[in-house]
């Protein structure tokens, strides 16, 4: 296996009572270690990296613990942990790896909650956006989390260097992403639609991409599409193998950043299948 996993145990130190809790990543890490993956340790993202994506006042308030909503608590020290998670995405981009870090990021917009949504959906800093902006490269962001990445869409709406493609469940949280808007192309699917319909839609999404326009593919890798998870589309482990094969067909430098997926052992096995499909 060539794809390395970016991980730090420091991301396990908060939120044991929350659905976005440490077990989801801890169990995934154990499974990937047992499967023989190599690991890389990230460093926190620099201030400049954060400021290319987020508003200065939002960052100041986040650092001071002043931003909280019903999904997204102001944990002690969360700013530093979120910076490390963003650093995981930066390292994954540099090494074509997979960042297995939390908190996730794709609901965090420029000012926090994005596109008129009331909460940040467990997200503090938009990790994948921070990595894409830092690279400065023409990038396709493929968001396979079961929720629409409203933060990522807000950040890159109208950006000539970036194309955002999302396949997600609708109607569902955050309620955005029903329509395609310019460089942000959205495909919505009903709850528990199943693997066949999902893959047909993903094929449609991938076939519409002019891949010669992009140097890099950045994957917002969420696994809450797994059957029974928070945004279930009725997928199973072998669905992620198929998804990985389709991402490889884009034939570009590719990196992956963990978003959702709340059943730890399923997240671990799904990541393994996604990477095996991608490398097959
Ligand atoms: Zn999600």
């Amino acid at each position: 296996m060539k794809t390395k996993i970016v991980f730090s145990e420091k991301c396990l130190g908060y939120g044991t009572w929350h659905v976005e809790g440490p077990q989801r990543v801890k169990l995934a890490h154990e499974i990937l270690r047992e499967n023989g993956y190599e690991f890389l340790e990230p460093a926190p993202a620099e201030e400049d990296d954060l400021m290319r994506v987020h508003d200065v006042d939002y960052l100041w308030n986040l650092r001071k613990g002043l931003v909280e909503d019903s999904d997204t608590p102001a944990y002690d020290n969360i700013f530093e942990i979120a910076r490390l998670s963003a650093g995981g995405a930066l390292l994954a981009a540099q090494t074509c790896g997979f960042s297995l870090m939390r908190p996730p990021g794709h609901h965090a917009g420029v000012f926090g909650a994005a596109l008129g949504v009331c909460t940040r959906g467990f997200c503090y800093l938009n990790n994948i956006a921070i990595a894409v902006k830092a690279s400065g490269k023409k990038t396709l962001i493929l968001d396979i989390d079961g929720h629409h990445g409203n933060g990522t869409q807000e950040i890159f709406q109208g950006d000539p260097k970036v194309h955002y493609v999302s396949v997600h469940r609708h109607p569902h949280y955050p309620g955005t992403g029903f329509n395609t808007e310019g460089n942000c192309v959205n495909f919505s699917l009903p709850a528990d639609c199943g693997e066949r319909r999902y893959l047909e839609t993903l094929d449609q999404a991938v076939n519409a991409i002019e891949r010669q326009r992009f140097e890099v593919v950045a994957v917002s890798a969420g696994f809450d599409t797994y059957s029974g998870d928070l945004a279930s589309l009725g997928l199973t482990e072998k669905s992620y193998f198929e998804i990985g094969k389709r991402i490889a067909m884009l034939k570009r430098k590719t990196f992956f950043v963990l978003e959702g997926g709340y059943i730890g052992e399923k997240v671990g096995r799904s990541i393994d299948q996604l990477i095996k499909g991608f490398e097959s």
Side-chain angles (χ1 to χ4, degrees):
M1 282 162 301
K2 295 181 294 291
T3 306
K4 294 191 171 80
I5 309 291
V6 177
F7 177 73
S8 164
E9 290 201 348
K10 289 178 188 159
C11 82
L12 304 177
Y14 73 94
T16 48
W17 55 274
H18 198 286
V19 62
E20 196 289 287
Q23 280 300 99
R24 56 187 288 266
V25 166
K26 188 168 185 283
L27 291 172
H29 173 250
E30 282 166 16
I31 287 167
L32 295 170
R33 200 181 53 205
E34 282 161 15
N35 277 278
Y37 286 86
E38 276 185 63
F39 292 86
L40 301 171
E41 178 103 16
E46 303 284 345
E47 204 84 352
D48 285 351
D49 296 318
L50 310 185
M51 281 167 44
R52 282 187 209 102
V53 168
H54 294 289
D55 172 68
V56 175
D57 288 340
Y58 173 64
L59 293 171
W60 192 88
N61 287 325
L62 194 61
R63 186 192 292 273
K64 298 286 174 196
L66 299 173
V67 207
E68 184 157 55
D69 61 55
S70 55
D71 288 338
T72 323
Y75 298 108
D76 287 346
N77 212 29
I78 191 64
F79 182 74
E80 291 307 320
I81 302 168
R83 267 183 63 191
L84 190 59
S85 186
L90 287 162
L91 184 56
Q94 287 155 12
T95 57
C96 292
F98 188 113
S99 179
L100 180 70
M101 292 289 289
R102 60 190 280 268
H106 74 154
H107 297 303
V110 178
F111 304 96
L115 298 182
V117 176
C118 295
T119 71
R120 290 166 294 150
F122 323 152
C123 301
Y124 299 84
L125 299 171
N126 195 312
N127 307 313
I128 202 161
I130 287 165
V132 168
K133 286 267 192 185
S135 82
K137 292 182 178 145
K138 289 183 178 163
T139 302
L140 168 75
I141 300 175
L142 179 62
D143 190 330
I144 58 166
D145 189 89
H147 301 94
H148 179 240
N150 54 317
T152 310
Q153 172 159 331
E154 182 186 88
I155 290 159
F156 292 109
Q157 188 88 63
D159 186 326
K161 278 189 162 173
V162 175
H163 200 71
Y164 175 71
V165 177
S166 176
V167 181
H168 52 267
R169 175 164 147 179
H170 188 88
H172 202 49
Y173 179 87
T176 53
F178 188 62
N179 297 310
T180 285
E181 296 176 61
N183 63 326
C184 298
V185 182
N186 292 311
F187 294 84
S188 53
L189 286 166
D192 294 305
C193 63
E195 178 183 294
R196 194 172 147 190
R197 180 147 176 212
Y198 182 91
L199 292 176
E200 280 169 9
T201 305
L202 186 64
D203 284 338
Q204 199 189 333
V206 166
N207 290 335
I209 291 164
E210 294 174 64
R211 63 183 176 88
Q212 64 281 4
R213 285 178 52 202
F214 306 103
E215 296 169 68
V216 176
V217 175
V219 182
S220 259
F223 300 89
D224 46 19
T225 47
Y226 202 105
S227 184
D229 206 326
L230 285 191
S232 173
L233 292 173
L235 302 190
T236 66
E237 278 161 48
K238 79 174 177 43
S239 314
Y240 298 98
F241 186 90
E242 293 299 319
I243 294 169
K245 277 181 11 192
R246 284 158 173 83
I247 295 168
M249 277 156 48
L250 292 164
K251 295 193 171 74
R252 287 292 177 273
K253 278 179 73 173
T254 301
F255 69 98
F256 303 85
V257 179
L258 181 68
E259 301 287 358
Y262 300 93
I263 309 168
E265 58 275 28
K266 291 182 176 170
V267 172
R269 287 198 289 269
S270 300
I271 292 171
D272 179 48
Q273 288 300 308
L274 183 79
I275 292 174
K276 286 191 170 129
F278 177 71
E279 294 180 353
S280 71

